[in-house]
Amino acid sequence: MSASPIPREIFRAYDIRGPALGADALLTPDLAFRIALAYAEQVDSAERIVVGGDNRPTTPALQQAAIAGLLDAGLDVVDIGRAPSPLVYWATATLTRERPTAGLVVTASHNRVEDNGIKLLHTDAMPLLPEQIQAVAERVASGASVADRQGERSLWSPRADYVGSLARSFQLQRPLQVAIDPGNGVAAVTAGAALRAIGCEVVAINDDPEETDPSHPADPQHAENVAELARFVSESGAELGFAFDGDGDRLGLVDGRGRRAAPDQVLALLAEDWLFRHRGASIHVDVKTSRAVIDHIEQLGGEAFFGPVGHSLGKYAMRERGIDFGGEASTHYFYRVDDPPHYTDDAVRTACRIAQIASQTSLEAMLDAIPRFPISPEVKIACPDDRKHDVAAAITESARRRWPVIGIDGARIDLSAQAEGAWCVIRASNTTPYLTVLVEGRDDGGYEIARGVAAEILTEHGLDAGPLISQPPLG
């Protein structure tokens, strides 16, 4: 079959994602069919595929096209319908116990409604690595073949079994009233049910998955998207609140005083709980993690291990090192689960864990005990896609000659010789034409030093440091 052009820009580091609606659509049902055919060759150990999808208007057509491609590739398909990504992970791991089963999710997570995407899993529910996604793209372009055997499609609704597994894993010491905001995303189908199953009284906003005009993006990494939940917690008298992202793998937290907990605070909170139950454990963190979290982990007798940014790369780093818990600044929190065995970044599981903690102690007191240092948000510095990785590598190499550097993913530069606890990270975005920069100091003076150093480095490499120079620390 002759090569056929495809939109290579939608084959990204962690998934396939791009415009899927209207005249500008790049991810079409035809392309989803071809991706499924190519993916079937990439997971040649699989005998069947679990397929689920989010609640975007383009998802049903893309999901059915992907199922058709898998069937034509000779694979059996278990269609679980509308499902958060972690539910697909859980279902894949559950069914793999019977026979090798991989997974496919149609979702664009928190992206705008016009976008959609596809996440691809191996038979151990681990995501395809960036180079494996590119291999799928190559096979799509060259043309994957239809198999002699037609696969069989079956239907399964795993929600009740999944909720039951969480209810067996988490028990509250006292009842809690909990507020949730799924952002009208697909987490609405599991979050409330799971929290009620462990003993919570649940009140909800933005929990209609049929709503096509949500009041805010389903992206709890950014404070403005959690503001409505914070007000609702204060007004309703709830003891805590949970905000979910579009496909249910990321979580935001609001305490009983209506205060949003920063993602790093949530990671420190969860790490404290984990270390209470697993003394001396190692915790996975990414290179953007605040020094406050690292200090907290070390003070509690744990060891923080830096890994690369991104949910797929983070899971592989954890598995390679034998680490069972971790998280990153984007509000992903990772677990190695025993039943069924798999690694997951499940926001509903995390919400259940935090609810359990809150039923035992004062969540507000725990959060208050976690220090916060002046830290910037991720600052985007424009850099073309075809140059960004080379520029990031050059920055890493030159920085090593002047400071201690962690070079796992870009450069995390230790500036403590100039200001105690100060650091900056400069790395290439895996998904956009930017370098991303983060700076932190233990105080305002340290922040200014870190920001100045990072700006100087950017300027030395011919980049516009203006967005960083004008960036005050987060409030």
Side-chain angles (χ1 to χ4, degrees):
M1 184 179 295
S2 61
S4 175
I6 62 169
R8 294 300 294 258
E9 65 268 30
I10 72 173
F11 290 81
R12 297 161 39 154
Y14 314 131
D15 57 20
I16 300 160
R17 197 182 303 185
L21 189 64
D24 296 329
L26 297 178
L27 181 57
T28 62
D30 174 68
L31 183 55
F33 175 87
R34 294 163 61 197
I35 289 169
L37 273 181
Y39 162 63
E41 295 182 1
Q42 186 73 29
V43 287
D44 55 6
S45 63
E47 298 176 5
R48 64 182 172 184
I49 311 291
V50 172
V51 179
D54 67 19
N55 57 320
R56 293 167 181 272
T58 56
T59 292
L62 293 171
Q63 192 165 334
Q64 292 310 308
I67 288 172
L70 295 169
L71 295 174
D72 279 2
L75 292 173
D76 294 338
V77 170
V78 180
D79 182 358
I80 66 170
R82 183 177 284 177
S85 293
L87 181 57
V88 178
Y89 307 160
W90 185 91
T92 298
T94 296
L95 294 184
T96 286
R97 289 168 159 173
E98 303 169 357
R99 53 191 284 224
T101 305
L104 182 153
V105 195
V106 177
T107 182
S109 184
H110 62 277
N111 278 35
R112 59 184 191 145
V113 71
E114 293 84 3
D115 290 346
N116 216 323
I118 297 175
K119 291 183 175 181
L120 302 171
L121 309 175
H122 289 293
T123 52
D124 54 4
M126 292 289 275
L128 267 63
L129 287 165
E131 60 269 24
Q132 294 168 335
I133 293 174
Q134 293 308 310
V136 170
E138 294 288 348
R139 195 68 185 109
V140 172
S142 62
S145 302
V146 173
D148 294 333
R149 171 190 179 271
Q150 180 77 6
E152 296 182 359
R153 175 176 174 264
S154 60
L155 302 176
W156 180 40
S157 179
R159 293 180 201 169
D161 292 339
Y162 164 79
V163 167
S165 75
L166 292 176
R168 291 189 295 274
S169 298
F170 303 100
Q171 296 83 36
L172 304 188
Q173 287 196 1
R174 63 177 182 83
L176 292 174
Q177 186 183 64
V178 173
I180 64 171
D181 180 358
N184 298 117
V186 73
V189 306
T190 53
L195 288 163
R196 291 185 185 97
I198 70 168
C200 294
E201 176 189 345
V202 178
V203 291
I205 56 173
N206 303 318
D207 65 335
D208 180 3
E210 306 302 331
E211 174 59 59
T212 58
D213 186 24
S215 60
H216 63 79
D219 184 0
Q221 180 178 356
H222 303 292
E224 62 268 23
N225 298 327
V226 187
E228 185 180 0
L229 175 64
R231 291 192 298 271
F232 182 64
V233 167
S234 298
E235 293 164 0
S236 66
E239 294 181 70
L240 67 164
F242 298 117
F244 298 85
D245 81 327
D247 71 326
D249 61 5
R250 295 191 293 121
L251 183 74
L253 171 65
V254 172
D255 72 11
R257 299 176 197 166
R259 304 177 302 177
R260 171 186 176 264
D264 276 332
Q265 286 182 295
V266 179
L267 176 54
L269 172 81
L270 291 165
E272 180 174 343
D273 171 70
W274 189 266
L275 290 167
F276 177 77
R277 293 179 291 110
H278 304 87
R279 299 290 183 185
S282 298
I283 308 292
H284 168 86
V285 300
D286 76 3
V287 295
K288 299 184 296 182
T289 300
S290 169
R291 186 68 221 181
V293 179
I294 311 303
D295 291 351
H296 199 64
I297 290 169
E298 292 174 348
Q299 289 164 4
L300 293 167
E303 186 172 7
F305 276 94
F306 283 104
V309 175
H311 78 96
S312 58
L313 300 176
K315 290 172 186 173
Y316 280 98
M318 287 175 63
R319 188 171 72 175
E320 181 179 338
R321 290 172 167 166
I323 296 175
D324 295 340
F325 172 73
E328 60 180 33
S330 62
T331 67
H332 284 281
Y333 306 105
F334 306 113
Y335 306 86
R336 184 186 66 80
V337 178
D338 288 327
D339 185 20
H342 68 299
Y343 284 85
T344 188
D345 44 339
D346 184 347
V348 174
R349 174 176 289 273
T350 300
C352 290
R353 170 61 71 196
I354 292 174
Q356 184 180 57
I357 295 168
S359 76
Q360 300 166 349
T361 189
S362 167
L363 201 68
E364 290 74 21
M366 289 183 70
L367 290 170
D368 287 344
I370 299 166
R372 291 201 68 184
F373 303 147
I375 189 170
S376 73
E378 289 184 56
V379 180
K380 293 183 177 181
I381 306 296
C383 190
D385 273 326
D386 60 355
R387 290 189 57 232
K388 63 187 182 184
H389 290 288
D390 289 340
V391 173
I395 288 173
T396 302
E397 184 61 29
S398 64
R400 287 187 193 280
R401 296 193 288 267
R402 301 167 64 184
W403 302 283
V405 171
I406 296 171
I408 293 170
D409 184 349
R412 180 173 169 126
I413 303 169
D414 181 356
L415 302 171
S416 56
Q418 293 168 257
E420 183 185 359
W423 60 273
C424 65
V425 66
I426 304 174
R427 56 179 294 275
S429 168
N430 282 315
T431 56
T432 56
Y434 294 98
L435 297 186
T436 58
V437 183
L438 202 71
V439 302
E440 183 181 66
R442 286 189 186 273
D443 52 30
D444 290 340
Y447 179 88
E448 290 301 325
I449 288 172
R451 179 168 60 174
V453 169
E456 179 183 345
I457 291 171
L458 293 171
T459 302
E460 287 173 354
H461 287 80
L463 298 167
D464 177 15
L468 176 63
I469 292 170
S470 62
Q471 178 60 59
L474 292 171

